[in-house]
């Protein structure tokens, strides 16, 4: 699986950015793609996930109402529209193939809208910097 992110940049607090992720080599027609982020000195944290089968989306609590994930299955592309950005959103954002699992814990485990998610096969990342 190859994932190529784009769309990061520098934005003032309250501004917006749209990230894109072009995927290739996905082994199945039914898959889930999403985003996680990592700020300097912090562990990575899952941000959002969308399933290709029915477009169900999942979010971490801190971005609900501000971020929207969407997908274009014909283009194998996932987008993350980020509005009302806050200083704490500053991080490198990675697009990744995600798997919803029945349970996980520890490093690499994420919880989005009450579902456990593990990410794998991520891209090179794109920097998002929110300034005051």
């Amino acid at each position: 699986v190859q994932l190529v992110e784009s769309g990061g940049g520098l934005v003032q607090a309250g501004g917006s950015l749209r990230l894109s992720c072009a995927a290739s080599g996905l082994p199945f027609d039914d898959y889930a793609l999403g985003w996680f982020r990592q700020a300097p000195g912090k562990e990575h944290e899952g941000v959002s996930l969308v399933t290709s089968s029915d477009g169900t989306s999942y979010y971490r609590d801190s971005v609900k109402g501000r971020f929207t994930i969407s997908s274009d299955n014909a283009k194998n592309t996932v987008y993350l529209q980020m509005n009302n950005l806050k200083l704490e959103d500053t991080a490198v954002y990675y697009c990744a193939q995600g798997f919803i699992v029945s349970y996980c814990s520890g490093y690499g485990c994420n919880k989005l809208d009450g579902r456990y998610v593990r990410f794998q096969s991520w891209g090179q990342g794109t920097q998002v910097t929110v300034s005051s």
Side-chain angles (χ1 to χ4, degrees), residues 80-96:
L80 186 68
Q81 178 67 42
M82 306 185 294
N83 298 328
N84 190 21
L85 282 160
K86 302 179 179 181
L87 297 178
E88 52 264 38
D89 294 319
T90 295
V92 178
Y93 284 70
Y94 297 88
C95 176

Side-chain angles (χ1 to χ4, degrees), residues 6 114 116:
S6 61
Y116 291 100

Side-chain angles (χ1 to χ4, degrees), residues 18-62:
R18 188 193 195 206
L19 305 183
S20 299
C21 171
S24 61
L26 291 164
F28 310 109
D29 290 335
D30 184 5
Y31 57 85
L33 290 176
W35 299 86
F36 68 88
R37 65 189 181 187
Q38 187 161 26
K42 295 186 177 181
E43 291 189 2
H44 85 269
E45 56 183 26
V47 175
S48 185
L49 183 78
V50 64
T51 59
S52 67
S53 58
D54 59 6
T56 302
S57 55
Y58 305 85
Y59 299 93
R60 69 179 297 106
D61 288 345
S62 63

Side-chain angles (χ1 to χ4, degrees), residues 89-127:
D89 294 319
T90 295
V92 178
Y93 284 70
Y94 297 88
C95 176
Q97 185 178 9
F99 295 89
I100 297 174
V101 296
S102 57
Y103 177 77
C104 65
S105 64
Y107 183 80
C109 182
N110 305 270
K111 202 165 185 182
L112 303 176
D113 273 320
R115 305 299 299 272
Y116 291 100
V117 176
R118 283 201 178 275
F119 289 108
Q120 70 176 42
S121 303
W122 49 88
Q124 81 286 354
T126 185
Q127 177 70 48

